[in-house]
Amino acid sequence: MNEIIFLAHRIPYPPDRGDRIRSFHILRHLARYRPVHLLGFVDKEEDRKAAKELLPMLASLHIEVRRKSRLRAGLEALMLGEPVSIAAFGSRRITHMVDQLLDERPIDTIFAYSGQMAQFVPDDRAGRRFIMDFVDIDSEKFAAYGAAEGGLMGWVHRREARLLASYEKDVGLWADINLFVSEAEAALFRKRAGLSVSHVRPLDNGIDTVRFDPAGFPRVEGAEPMIVFTGQMDYRPNVDAVDYFAQRTFPAIRAKHPATLFAIVGRDPTPAVQELAKLKNVIVTGEVPDVRPWIAAAAAVVAPLEIARGVQNKVLEAMAMARPVVASPAAFEGIDATPGVHLIVAHGYDMANAVSHLLANPAEGDAMGQKARAHMIARYGWDAQLAKLDAMMGFV
């Protein structure tokens, strides 16, 4: 039986954040059909221990703790004239192990998850299939940072955007199939790289509607109404989003609904995020054992991101939990849902008005949440999404 090498910039376990959720479900789907060799990185030693839970579904597992500092990666990138994002994930050992697997095992497909991992696909892959899951166009995120900042960091981000865009195009031309999380991202990449629909395809995220089922998490009635944001809280777009919402949007909401709380729920909050807990009625939880009770308790879930690529899992999860969502246009992009029916799309002061309306009309929010959950079940099941992979992988 032919086998697969799966390269992951972050080992997908536990599947509790956006990138690991998508890669976990893809990995599990592939492992149902073929032996899979998983190679990739974790951010810290305890993640290595957790990732060993994947062993029963794998042919082999190689994990490296990524210890290279940002400063070292930046200096290497300057010397080599390459993107910092690529230098940060360099590994001679993974390069050697890929070569060894190709020599010793009947590998017919290399699946790279996130652009950083394409550097481990050998120039001569001897006719083996190479599928590149970019998820989204990372260079666009750095271009947005560069446009918003001046000084040294503005220059650093503009350099990263330029070099990474060139790298992404080269990888796209080299891969057999390039995957993106939405048709919008895929269409932009086709235009950039001059590639056809057959070479650049959308593979939408799914949602586990059994895990994210509000039936297991009844809302607490009689408590203060709560607005919830969920996410990895050292990720810059999330940090910027909650900072703006807490300091600019939330005061306008609280002026109409003084008892309302704003809960920022997610691991590794930066010092700037922790400072927000000093604001009146703002809660910063840090890592929680389970995000679902917080979502279930929300009168509204907000996603006020200004910079967002691909599809926001936080939005899909809240909709699956039958909670009303108020998302910025950037956070809504790529989601197949109808504004005003399944969620509210609003920006700035309009977001404050939308959330205030939901707080004043909880039955209306509940009804929208029920429509959102029904839509998630019908449109976003993982099995239906990943069935598209079968032909690409040669399973059918």
Side-chain angles (χ1 to χ4, degrees):
M1 180 181 290
N2 289 326
E3 299 176 0
I4 299 166
I5 292 175
F6 191 106
L7 301 166
H9 77 306
R10 187 173 283 113
I11 294 290
Y13 200 87
D16 58 357
R17 53 179 288 170
D19 57 345
R20 288 200 296 230
I21 292 169
R22 177 179 172 91
S23 54
F24 171 79
H25 284 281
I26 292 173
L27 175 68
R28 185 172 65 174
H29 185 82
L30 300 182
R32 290 171 180 164
Y33 292 89
R34 299 281 191 274
V36 177
H37 304 271
L38 173 61
L39 297 84
F41 299 91
V42 292
D43 296 325
K44 46 196 175 184
E45 191 62 43
E46 47 265 44
D47 293 340
R48 183 202 296 269
K49 297 174 185 175
K52 291 181 179 179
E53 295 291 326
L54 293 170
L55 277 168
M57 74 168 72
L58 299 172
S60 69
L61 172 63
H62 172 75
I63 305 170
E64 289 190 22
V65 179
R66 194 161 63 87
R67 304 187 189 279
K68 189 181 295 185
S69 69
R70 291 183 181 179
L71 176 60
R72 180 183 166 191
L75 292 174
E76 287 181 7
L78 284 172
M79 288 188 297
L80 297 171
E82 67 180 20
V84 178
S85 307
I86 306 307
F89 285 84
S91 168
R92 293 181 181 177
R93 192 172 176 196
I94 288 183
T95 299
H96 172 73
M97 294 198 71
V98 169
D99 290 341
Q100 185 175 341
L101 284 168
L102 293 175
D103 286 341
E104 297 177 358
R105 305 300 305 171
I107 306 295
D108 76 336
T109 301
I110 303 172
F111 191 107
Y113 184 88
S114 196
Q116 298 95 324
M117 303 309 288
Q119 63 186 298
F120 302 113
V121 181
D123 293 337
D124 180 11
R125 59 181 191 268
R128 296 178 178 92
R129 183 187 295 108
F130 170 28
I131 296 183
M132 180 69 246
D133 187 2
F134 281 108
V135 187
D136 48 41
I137 304 176
D138 261 1
S139 58
E140 284 289 297
K141 176 179 64 182
F142 287 104
Y145 293 162
E149 293 186 24
L152 177 60
M153 288 311 300
W155 177 84
V156 168
H157 288 139
R158 290 189 294 274
R159 176 189 183 273
E160 186 73 1
R162 174 173 49 84
L163 294 180
L164 195 54
S166 177
Y167 174 85
E168 289 165 343
K169 181 177 178 180
D170 289 344
V171 172
L173 293 169
W174 179 34
D176 295 295
I177 297 174
N178 300 281
L179 300 176
F180 289 88
V181 74
S182 69
E183 173 55 31
E185 293 286 294
L188 178 57
F189 192 77
R190 287 187 207 112
K191 183 178 180 180
R192 275 189 174 191
L195 290 168
S196 67
V197 172
S198 63
H199 283 91
V200 182
R201 308 183 192 181
L203 182 69
D204 293 350
N205 275 353
I207 184 72
D208 186 341
T209 55
V210 174
R211 174 173 169 74
F212 289 92
D213 184 346
F217 303 90
R219 292 180 62 198
V220 178
E221 300 299 334
E224 299 92 339
M226 185 163 60
I227 304 162
V228 172
F229 176 95
T230 63
Q232 182 75 19
M233 292 318 307
D234 59 356
Y235 179 53
R236 178 173 170 175
N238 288 343
V239 173
D240 291 347
V242 297
D243 183 72
Y244 185 92
F245 187 88
Q247 302 210 52
R248 304 285 295 276
T249 309
F250 185 51
I253 297 168
R254 204 163 49 78
K256 298 178 181 178
H257 305 277
T260 303
L261 305 176
F262 174 42
I264 301 168
V265 182
R267 67 164 63 86
D268 298 329
T270 64
V273 173
Q274 293 175 40
E275 280 291 306
L276 297 176
K278 296 178 180 179
L279 299 174
K280 187 174 178 61
N281 287 21
V282 176
I283 302 167
V284 178
T285 69
E287 185 171 3
V288 296
D290 192 337
V291 73
R292 292 171 294 175
W294 289 89
I295 299 173
V301 174
V302 293
L305 288 88
E306 291 297 314
I307 297 174
R309 304 305 312 172
V311 171
Q312 297 298 308
N313 282 304
K314 59 173 64 68
V315 173
L316 301 184
E317 290 169 358
M319 292 173 72
M321 289 287 290
R323 300 319 306 137
V325 174
V326 183
S328 66
F332 172 66
E333 185 172 341
I335 294 176
D336 180 8
T338 304
V341 176
H342 304 121
L343 78 169
I344 298 170
V345 179
H347 182 266
Y349 197 73
D350 287 340
M351 179 171 282
N353 286 336
V355 174
S356 294
H357 180 81
L358 290 172
L359 292 172
N361 300 275
E364 188 175 320
D366 289 344
M368 175 173 283
Q370 291 299 325
K371 292 176 183 176
R373 175 164 173 79
H375 184 65
M376 289 296 102
I377 292 171
R379 171 66 178 81
Y380 278 97
W382 272 113
D383 287 344
Q385 302 289 35
L386 296 180
K388 304 168 190 174
L389 271 178
D390 295 350
M392 301 180 208
M393 299 293 299
F395 297 157
V396 295

